[in-house]
């Protein structure tokens, strides 16, 4: 029996990353002699893994607190059905690429959840699972994982056609083992670590040897040259490049004079509500390192229900000045009011091509560039590769090809991804690049809403919701000019007419509702990041900086519950807060001190990382929240281990949340006199029981 080289790709995507990678695999399949079918995991009528005999490739992202994406939830529930036999998927041969971010807890847990359950039900790998880290760059793992997939598929189909599926599949699974330079085998877990940590060597293919950075002749000859976004240095500048295949074009865009559809913020179909911003307060002093602003939204007419711990998505536009510059750069400024028609190219080689749903038909070009496309996003390598083909200058084209090549991965990370370079920055750096509008529509992702934690309780503020944010600032660097965060900068400008310093009388009370600035928003229910229903359960809250926001809502809620249930027993409440300076950026100071004074907050533990030691000259005063956690280790351990309390952490996921997690492991290890691995099991149990919850961002 001869097997056709046809396989199935299934993806679960929250914001489009997993879908984009799955489509790239599908596109490359034909180049390697395969035929791929592709489907989202949510479209269960299009596939049936219960009886699938073809190899299956899963690409799955992670969202929330380590959850599978929304599009994979139904599939996960189906395979978690406890009535399924242990060999239910014994026929299934699959590979899985999991996407995650090590700045967050439960790295790649969406993919790991599916992977482990398929294994429990008898499915077998034909290729090692990849765990790609968005914190260091997905392509570091994704590119070599896809490259190795083709050989794994060839072996898979070879074993199927030779009718020795059982024995050969074990051999294919042993493809998870590979020989190192000394001839020793590495096991599957070693390979997964290799994929996660893989660093692509800079190879001089002409000489056939690896060029190392400490090569003395290279140092001597090229000391004066410095790599930048615009130029490379040897060995990269002299290397033969391995560049990705040119992505297939699949859209055609027509600009038509005449009337456009009525243009509003794209919110109707997504149930967003336009609400007034009734108050805007600067919460920090003018000389603080960061500017924090509190906004109050009037949601009384929209009947929006929320709980403390929920978040609100805010729709924001691209900056008008950047949209204008982009239109000018593309020589489309005179056509910005034209109606846009987007259609699929006939005879496109792109598999499963479709017009992006976030691009409206008959909207004006200016509207689409302002509200629909994320023009600030860092261009993916595939986009850089496509831009190179529309670059006239030879040296500029060479540099773009370097940035998207395997050999140029380090430069891409340094000068594009880590530098927060966007399309406009590339067009400034490479003036001979003039891409067509269709290329932007194919590669720029949807402009996503930004989420902000509610900093209030509806019991305390009926018909209102507060949230607080820092205005993000990106300083000028060689790759781009100084700029503020897309949403935080826009919000700061948007409320400038009603913004007042902390402690001053509102200047906007005389304004009617129609004169107040407005935003489009929707409540996002967390389901888990809420106070326990049992009022007697103690809680520990860790929220430095703007991470304190949801805990203001928690404490407002608890304050009202105490007033309404004076005979009830309430558990202790601990808050660990930190900021740089007590007198400059101590957010919600008056509210927190009031909560502590009236007993709503049992323990307010604060630290100030940049203030000088107090008059007592304390040398080892706590600097960060994790230091205070360590000082109160006995109480924290007792609350979590003895009293079955809850721990909530909100704020920076890149540093703070990791440090708090490490401190928690230390506290539990010392309390129970166990090693780090056993402490990790205890902490994992707390997460499973939803008693250790995080709301973090990077």
């Amino acid at each position: 029996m001869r097997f056709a080289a046809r396989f199935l790709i299934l993806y679960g995507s929250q914001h489009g990353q997993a879908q984009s990678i799955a489509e790239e695999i599908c596109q490359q399949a034909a180049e390697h002699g395969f035929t791929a079918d592709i489907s989202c995991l949510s479209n269960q009528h299009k596939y049936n893994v219960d009886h699938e005999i073809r190899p299956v490739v899963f690409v799955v992202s992670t969202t929330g607190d380590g959850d599978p994406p929304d599009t994979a939830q139904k599939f996960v529930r189906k395979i978690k059905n406890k009535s399924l036999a242990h060999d239910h998927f014994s026929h299934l041969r699959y590979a899985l690429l999991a996407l995650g971010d090590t700045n967050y807890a439960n790295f790649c847990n969406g993919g790991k959840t599916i992977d482990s359950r398929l294994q429990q039900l008898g499915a077998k790998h034909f290729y090692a699972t990849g765990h790609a880290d968005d914190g260091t760059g997905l392509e570091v793992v994704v590119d070599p994982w896809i490259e190795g997939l083709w050989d794994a598929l060839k072996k898979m189909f070879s074993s199927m056609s030779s009718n020795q599926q059982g024995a050969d599949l074990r051999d294919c699974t042993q493809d998870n083992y590979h020989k190192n330079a000394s001839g020793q085998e590495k096991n599957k877990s070693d390979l997964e670590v290799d994929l996660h940590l893989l660093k692509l060597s800079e190879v001089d293919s002409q000489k056939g040897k690896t060029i190392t950075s400490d090569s003395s002749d290279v140092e001597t000859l090229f000391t004066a040259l410095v790599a930048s976004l615009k130029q490379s240095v040897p060995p990269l500048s002299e290397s033969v490049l391995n560049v990705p295949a040119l992505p297939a074009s699949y859209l055609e865009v027509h600009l038509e004079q005449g009337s456009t559809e009525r243009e509003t913020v794209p919110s109707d179909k997504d149930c967003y509500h336009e609400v007034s911003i009734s108050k805007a307060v600067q919460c920090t002093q003018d000389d603080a390192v960061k500017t924090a602003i509190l906004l109050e939204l009037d949601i009384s007419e929209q009947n929006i229900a929320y709980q403390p711990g929920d978040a609100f998505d805010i729709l924001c536009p691209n900056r008008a000045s950047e949209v204008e510059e982009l239109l000018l750069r593309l020589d489309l400024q005179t056509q910005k009011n034209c109606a846009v028609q987007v259609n699929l190219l006939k005879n496109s080689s792109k598999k499963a091509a479709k017009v992006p749903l976030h691009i409206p038909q008959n909207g004006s070009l200016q509207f689409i560039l302002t509200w629909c496309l994320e023009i600030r996003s860092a261009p993916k390598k595939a986009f850089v590769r496509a831009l190179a083909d529309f670059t006239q200058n030879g040296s500029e084209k060479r540099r773009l090809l370097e940035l998207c090549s395997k050999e140029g991965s380090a430069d891409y990370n340094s000068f594009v991804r880590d530098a927060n370079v966007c399309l406009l920055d590339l067009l400034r750096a490479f003036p001979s690049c003039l891409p067509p509008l269709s290329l932007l529509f194919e590669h720029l992702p949807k402009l996503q809403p930004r989420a902000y934690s509610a900093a209030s309780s509806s019991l305390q503020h009926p018909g209102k919701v507060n949230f607080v944010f820092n205005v993000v600032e990106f300083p000028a660097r060689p790759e781009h000019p100084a700029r503020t965060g897309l949403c935080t900068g826009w919000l700061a400008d948007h409320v400038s007419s009603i913004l007042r310093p902390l402690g001053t009388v509102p200047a906007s009370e005389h304004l009617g509702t129609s004169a107040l600035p407005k935003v489009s928003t929707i409540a996002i229910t967390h389901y888990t990041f809420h106070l326990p229903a049992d009022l007697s359960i103690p809680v520990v809250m860790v929220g430095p900086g703007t991470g304190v926001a949801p805990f203001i809502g928690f404490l407002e809620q608890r304050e009202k519950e105490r007033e309404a249930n004076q005979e009830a027993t309430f558990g202790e409440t601990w808050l660990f807060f930190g900021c740089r300076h007590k007198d400059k950026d101590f957010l919600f100071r008056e509210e927190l001190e009031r909560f502590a004074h009236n007993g709503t907050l049992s323990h307010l533990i604060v630290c100030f990382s940049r203030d000088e030691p107090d008059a007592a000259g304390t040398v080892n005063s706590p600097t960060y929240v994790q230091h205070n956690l360590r000082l109160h280790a006995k109480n924290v351990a007792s609350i979590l281990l003895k009293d079955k309390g809850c721990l909530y952490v909100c704020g920076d996921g890149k540093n703070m949340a990791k440090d708090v997690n490490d401190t928690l492991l230390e506290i539990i290890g010392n309390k129970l006199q166990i090693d780090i691995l056993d402490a990790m099991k205890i902490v994992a149990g707390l997460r499973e029981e939803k008693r250790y919850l995080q709301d973090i961002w990077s």
Side-chain angles (χ1 to χ4, degrees), residues 69-127:
D70 293 343
T71 55
Q73 291 283 1
K74 189 174 181 181
F75 176 79
V76 170
R77 287 195 297 271
K78 180 179 178 180
I79 65 175
K80 279 191 171 182
N81 188 327
K82 294 182 179 180
S83 67
L84 296 178
H86 70 279
D87 60 350
H88 183 79
F89 286 126
S90 59
H91 62 281
L92 186 65
R93 302 298 180 261
Y94 76 99
L96 190 144
L97 177 60
L99 312 183
D101 189 331
T102 49
N103 291 317
Y104 296 86
N106 300 317
F107 172 63
C108 283
N109 198 58
K112 289 177 179 177
T113 297
I114 293 175
D115 200 11
S116 62
R117 184 56 177 160
L118 292 177
Q119 292 281 296
Q120 291 171 4
L121 297 176
K124 299 290 190 301
H125 291 121
F126 70 84
Y127 183 47

Side-chain angles (χ1 to χ4, degrees), residues 141-212:
V141 169
V142 170
D143 290 351
W145 191 88
I146 294 177
E147 183 178 345
L149 174 66
W150 310 121
D151 281 342
L153 281 167
K154 288 174 184 176
K155 292 180 181 179
M156 182 72 231
F157 286 116
S158 175
S159 69
M160 294 170 70
S161 63
S162 64
N163 202 27
Q164 294 177 343
Q165 187 171 345
D168 285 346
L169 277 174
R170 284 192 293 273
D171 291 339
C172 283
T173 305
Q174 294 302 312
D175 189 44
N176 294 330
Y177 292 80
H178 63 291
K179 299 282 186 178
N180 62 17
S182 61
Q184 296 175 324
E185 289 186 335
K186 291 186 177 182
N187 62 32
K188 172 188 169 186
S189 61
D190 289 335
L191 179 55
E192 290 179 353
V193 172
D194 286 349
L195 283 171
H196 181 61
L197 300 177
L198 185 60
K199 304 294 184 184
L200 297 174
S201 297
E202 302 290 354
V203 177
D204 184 336
S205 58
Q206 292 173 322
K207 297 181 180 178
K209 65 177 183 179
T210 300
I211 305 297
T212 59

Side-chain angles (χ1 to χ4, degrees), residues 4-11 19 21-30 34-41 43 46-49 52-59 149-150 153 157 351-353:
R6 193 180 197 100
F7 69 100
L8 175 64
I9 303 170
L10 298 175
Y11 63 86
Q19 178 180 351
I21 292 168
E23 290 173 348
E24 176 64 22
I25 294 171
C26 187
Q27 186 67 32
Q28 289 188 28
F34 301 108
T35 300
D37 297 310
I38 185 170
S39 175
C40 178
L41 281 166
N43 297 328
K46 292 187 177 181
Y47 65 90
N48 186 358
V49 292
E52 185 59 70
I53 62 170
R54 296 171 296 174
V56 179
V57 175
F58 292 89
V59 184
L149 174 66
W150 310 121
L153 281 167
F157 286 116
K351 295 278 288 186

